[in-house]
Coordinates of all heavy atoms in Angstrom, one line a residue:
R367 N 190.3 52.8 84.9 CA 190.0 51.3 85.1 C 189.0 50.8 84.1 O 188.1 50.1 84.4 CB 189.5 51.1 86.5 CG 190.5 51.5 87.6 CD 189.8 51.3 89.0 NE 190.4 52.0 90.0 CZ 189.9 52.2 91.3 NH1 188.8 51.7 91.6 NH2 190.6 52.9 92.2
T368 N 189.2 51.2 82.9 CA 188.4 50.6 81.8 C 189.2 49.7 80.9 O 190.5 49.6 81.1 CB 187.9 51.8 80.8 OG1 189.1 52.5 80.3 CG2 187.1 52.8 81.6
A369 N 188.6 48.9 80.1 CA 189.3 47.9 79.3 C 190.2 48.6 78.3 O 189.8 49.7 77.7 CB 188.3 47.0 78.5
P370 N 191.4 48.1 78.0 CA 192.3 48.7 77.1 C 191.6 48.9 75.7 O 191.0 47.9 75.2 CB 193.5 47.8 77.0 CG 193.5 47.1 78.4 CD 192.0 47.0 78.7
G371 N 191.7 50.1 75.1 CA 191.1 50.2 73.8 C 189.6 50.5 73.8 O 189.1 50.8 72.7
S372 N 189.0 50.5 75.0 CA 187.5 50.8 75.0 C 187.3 52.3 74.8 O 188.2 53.1 75.1 CB 186.9 50.3 76.3 OG 187.6 51.0 77.4
D373 N 186.1 52.6 74.4 CA 185.8 54.0 74.2 C 185.6 54.7 75.5 O 185.0 54.2 76.4 CB 184.5 54.1 73.3 CG 184.9 53.9 71.8 OD1 186.1 53.8 71.4 OD2 183.9 53.9 71.0
V374 N 186.0 56.0 75.5 CA 185.7 56.9 76.6 C 185.2 58.2 75.9 O 185.4 58.4 74.7 CB 186.9 57.2 77.5 CG1 187.4 56.0 78.2 CG2 188.1 57.8 76.6
L375 N 184.5 59.0 76.7 CA 184.1 60.3 76.2 C 185.2 61.3 76.4 O 185.7 61.5 77.5 CB 182.8 60.8 76.9 CG 182.3 62.2 76.5 CD1 181.8 62.1 75.0 CD2 181.2 62.7 77.4
Y376 N 185.6 62.0 75.3 CA 186.6 63.0 75.4 C 186.0 64.4 75.2 O 185.2 64.6 74.3 CB 187.7 62.8 74.3 CG 188.7 63.9 74.2 CD1 189.7 64.1 75.2 CD2 188.6 64.8 73.1 CE1 190.6 65.1 75.1 CE2 189.6 65.9 73.0 CZ 190.5 66.0 74.0 OH 191.5 67.0 73.9
I377 N 186.3 65.3 76.1 CA 185.8 66.7 76.0 C 186.9 67.6 76.0 O 187.8 67.6 77.0 CB 184.8 67.0 77.1 CG1 183.7 65.9 77.2 CG2 184.1 68.4 76.9 CD1 182.9 66.0 78.5
E378 N 186.9 68.6 75.2 CA 187.9 69.7 75.3 C 187.2 71.0 75.4 O 186.3 71.3 74.5 CB 188.8 69.7 74.0 CG 189.9 70.8 74.1 CD 190.9 70.8 72.9 OE1 191.3 69.7 72.6 OE2 191.1 71.9 72.3
R379 N 187.4 71.8 76.4 CA 186.7 73.0 76.6 C 187.6 74.2 77.0 O 188.6 74.0 77.6 CB 185.7 72.9 77.9 CG 184.6 71.9 77.8 CD 184.0 71.6 79.1 NE 184.9 71.0 80.0 CZ 184.8 71.0 81.3 NH1 183.8 71.6 81.9 NH2 185.6 70.3 82.1
L380 N 187.3 75.4 76.4 CA 187.9 76.6 76.8 C 187.1 77.2 77.7 O 185.9 77.5 77.4 CB 188.2 77.5 75.5 CG 188.7 78.9 75.8 CD1 190.0 78.9 76.5 CD2 188.6 79.8 74.6
R381 N 187.6 77.5 78.9 CA 186.7 78.1 80.0 C 187.1 79.5 80.2 O 188.3 79.9 80.3 CB 186.9 77.3 81.3 CG 186.9 75.7 81.0 CD 186.6 74.9 82.2 NE 185.3 75.2 82.7 CZ 184.8 74.7 83.8 NH1 185.6 74.0 84.6 NH2 183.6 74.9 84.2
R382 N 186.1 80.4 80.3 CA 186.3 81.8 80.5 C 185.6 82.3 81.8 O 184.7 81.8 82.1 CB 185.7 82.6 79.3 CG 186.4 82.4 77.9 CD 185.8 83.2 76.9 NE 186.5 83.2 75.6 CZ 186.2 82.4 74.6 NH1 185.2 81.5 74.8 NH2 186.8 82.4 73.4
L383 N 186.3 83.3 82.3 CA 185.7 84.0 83.4 C 185.5 85.4 83.1 O 186.4 86.1 82.7 CB 186.7 83.9 84.7 CG 186.2 84.7 85.9 CD1 184.9 84.1 86.5 CD2 187.3 84.7 87.0

Side-chain angles (χ1 to χ4, degrees):
R367 301 180 198 164
T368 62
S372 62
D373 281 352
V374 294
L375 180 65
Y376 173 73
I377 309 170
E378 181 177 314
R379 295 167 295 160
L380 171 62
R381 315 199 69 187
R382 293 184 173 92
L383 177 64

